[in-house]
Amino acid sequence: MRINESQLKLVNDQIQRLVASGNYFGRRLQEAGVTEVRTVEDFLALPFSEKEDLRNCYPLGASAVDERQIVRIHSSSGTTGTPVIIPYTEKDVDDWAEQFRRCYELAGITSEDRIQITPGYGLWTAGIGFQAGAEKLGAMAVPMGPGNTEKQLQFMVDLQTTVIGATSSYALLLAEEVERRGMLGELALRKGVIGSERWGKVMRERVKAGLGIQVYDIYGLTEVYGPGIGISCGAESGMHYWDDYLYIEILDPATGEPVPDGEWGEIVITTLVKEAAPLIRFRTHDLSRIIPGECPCGSPFPRIDALHGRSDDMVKIKGVNVFPRQIEEVLQDFPQLSSEYQIRISHLEGRDTMRIYVETDGTQDFLDLADAVSDEVKRRIGFTPLVKVVELGVLPRSEKKTRRVFDERYE
Ligand code: ZN
């Protein structure tokens, strides 16, 4: 999706702000000789930013405002090393709340609703994002925070909560608990706003049925406000995002070049009105695509598709970018296959080859099944893999995260 005139103007304002502040990113722009952005070409010449840059800014080096203007910080949980700290001005906090309010609104949630918030509060952006949006909407926020399922269920019944905010795993836990106790009839839940982890169709259906709700996926990351920068709608056809606050590009993660609308790649975000920590072309490493055309729901805001994992998982084969999730989706449509699979990529006779190992219950001839899977991958993803069907239980299982993709080209 090409950057438009008004977005370009806002990006230019962000560049001016950064350069004038002399912060980490401002200095970098100045060193690169970029102090103005007028055209699409100017924009595409801007350097990317990465989480690593934000680590280099620790603790407050990402700030483009006087520190007296900072009203709050959040921090993203680094698994290792230096944490990332994102400062917010009063306007940033308000802008974020407004975006989250829009998310609720798009999901059909109103000031009549009672929103039980189960994600965590604190340095993390989750709980407080749900909270600020709910207050701005005029709904009743029930700020539970995570855990304590007993009390969650009690409040859900006693307060007749109508909306639940949760991660998909906690929503599933609640759904199973409600089912186990047979207490669905006591609940007034109608909608769930669920954090945008990757989750499959089966889990989604269980949560919907178990809690009696419609579900909406919310998108966001601490570096760019937090959750609430996008949400799926009633059409269940991707997530709308607020293009007056953000410009989203989808780039080929390997080359950094834009891909056409509709094609998969990495989400790269430029903030348009952020004061304390503007980010230019921030590489999220989340994989999605722009969904072209108008959404059946009628919202004029553009859409990205549900996340397809991380760009770190992507492999390029025969000129086609492939994500394990795409293979997984094809395999899911074969009920005679188990959930286990293994992808091996190797370089044979001068060509990249993908072998997919799948397990079957034996109801179909192995060779026929292999051909059918291979044809389906060709049809949906655009290249022909070698498919090997094995008996149930042959592929290794692990209690931790099972490794499924092996790129043997570089081993
Ligand atoms: Zn829509």
Side-chain angles (χ1 to χ4, degrees):
M1 184 153 291
R2 229 174 120 98
I3 190 162
N4 66 38
E5 278 303 315
S6 62
Q7 290 172 323
L8 261 181
K9 203 192 151 299
L10 291 169
V11 171
N12 190 51
D13 294 346
Q14 295 267 280
I15 300 288
Q16 305 295 323
R17 170 183 286 282
L18 286 167
V19 171
S21 78
N23 80 352
Y24 176 91
F25 296 101
R27 288 197 302 276
R28 206 170 64 173
L29 287 167
Q30 211 140 29
E31 280 159 20
V34 184
T35 52
E36 201 172 45
V37 170
R38 294 285 170 212
T39 64
V40 175
E41 290 67 38
D42 291 346
F43 178 81
L44 291 173
L46 288 169
F48 294 117
S49 47
E50 291 271 2
K51 193 159 185 159
E52 193 53 34
D53 291 311
L54 290 167
R55 283 206 184 92
N56 295 338
C57 288
Y58 183 86
L60 287 173
S63 176
V65 295
D66 186 293
E67 286 178 14
R68 283 170 297 187
Q69 284 179 265
I70 298 173
V71 300
R72 189 200 288 171
I73 61 117
H74 283 290
S75 177
S76 68
S77 49
T79 40
T80 52
T82 315
V84 162
I85 290 186
I86 304 294
Y88 296 68
T89 64
E90 189 183 354
K91 179 178 186 295
D92 294 335
V93 165
D94 193 60
D95 285 350
W96 179 22
E98 169 57 19
Q99 292 176 74
F100 215 124
R101 187 198 65 77
R102 283 188 195 172
C103 287
Y104 285 135
E105 198 176 66
L106 196 78
I109 296 163
T110 72
S111 59
E112 304 282 308
D113 279 296
R114 299 175 173 195
I115 306 175
Q116 190 156 329
I117 300 162
T118 70
Y121 286 73
L123 282 172
W124 203 25
T125 47
I128 201 163
F130 279 82
Q131 169 97 18
E135 288 172 356
K136 211 169 182 73
L137 183 70
M140 185 198 290
V142 184
M144 301 295 292
N148 202 346
T149 300
E150 199 62 43
K151 195 164 190 177
Q152 300 275 8
L153 293 173
Q154 185 199 334
F155 271 43
M156 236 178 257
V157 172
D158 294 347
L159 285 167
Q160 290 290 284
T161 306
T162 55
V163 176
I164 180 99
T167 60
S168 53
S169 38
Y170 195 59
L172 180 67
L173 189 149
L174 285 172
E176 286 175 341
E177 199 54 31
V178 165
E179 244 164 17
R180 200 176 62 78
R181 301 181 187 202
M183 59 185 287
L184 185 58
E186 298 169 56
L187 302 183
L189 283 181
R190 59 185 201 98
K191 286 171 192 286
V193 177
I194 310 295
S196 66
E197 308 157 77
R198 251 176 57 178
W199 58 321
K201 236 185 293 179
V202 177
M203 184 168 169
R204 200 184 180 84
E205 292 309 316
R206 284 208 68 181
V207 166
K208 281 176 162 179
L211 294 175
I213 54 175
Q214 284 175 283
V215 298
Y216 301 85
D217 290 309
I218 198 140
Y219 180 56
L221 52 159
T222 301
E223 294 82 357
V224 185
Y225 297 105
I229 63 175
I231 191 167
S232 64
C233 64
E236 296 206 3
S237 164
M239 299 184 282
H240 293 276
Y241 62 92
W242 317 121
D243 63 348
D244 47 349
Y245 287 94
L246 315 165
Y247 174 62
I248 287 187
E249 312 167 77
I250 305 291
L251 304 182
D252 182 322
T255 65
E257 293 297 321
V259 301
D261 287 356
E263 285 188 18
W264 291 90
E266 178 180 345
I267 301 175
V268 175
I269 302 179
T270 297
T271 62
L272 297 177
V273 292
K274 229 171 178 226
E275 290 186 336
L279 280 180
I280 306 296
R281 307 192 85 196
F282 182 72
R283 299 192 66 150
T284 65
H285 296 278
D286 286 332
L287 295 173
S288 184
R289 64 183 188 114
I290 299 281
I291 301 180
E294 287 217 351
C295 183
C297 82
S299 166
F301 287 101
R303 284 172 297 159
I304 51 173
D305 213 328
L307 304 187
H308 253 195
R310 305 272 304 162
S311 60
D312 323 291
D313 301 334
M314 187 195 80
V315 290
K316 194 163 189 140
I317 178 118
K318 297 178 184 174
V320 182
N321 288 339
V322 186
F323 313 112
R325 177 72 182 163
Q326 290 172 285
I327 304 284
E328 218 173 286
E329 279 179 357
V330 172
L331 300 181
Q332 273 171 6
D333 290 346
F334 288 87
Q336 61 275 56
L337 297 179
S338 81
S339 62
E340 291 304 315
Y341 65 94
Q342 212 178 75
I343 296 171
R344 288 185 177 267
I345 298 143
S346 49
H347 199 71
L348 291 173
E349 294 159 13
R351 291 166 46 164
D352 288 338
T353 308
M354 179 185 285
R355 280 168 297 154
I356 305 173
Y357 293 86
V358 292
E359 289 182 348
T360 181
D361 54 11
T363 51
Q364 190 181 357
D365 178 77
F366 281 20
L367 290 176
D368 288 349
L369 183 56
D371 283 346
V373 172
S374 171
D375 288 349
E376 194 58 17
V377 170
K378 168 74 178 163
R379 193 177 71 79
R380 282 167 52 178
I381 310 177
F383 71 95
T384 307
L386 287 170
V387 178
K388 305 249 189 233
V389 179
V390 298
E391 278 164 14
L392 210 60
V394 167
L395 294 176
R397 274 125 169 103
S398 159
E399 280 181 19
K400 293 188 204 133
K401 217 178 150 218
T402 307
R403 187 172 172 208
R404 300 181 192 283
V405 182
F406 297 83
D407 196 339
E408 295 165 340
R409 288 173 296 187
Y410 312 109
E411 280 173 7

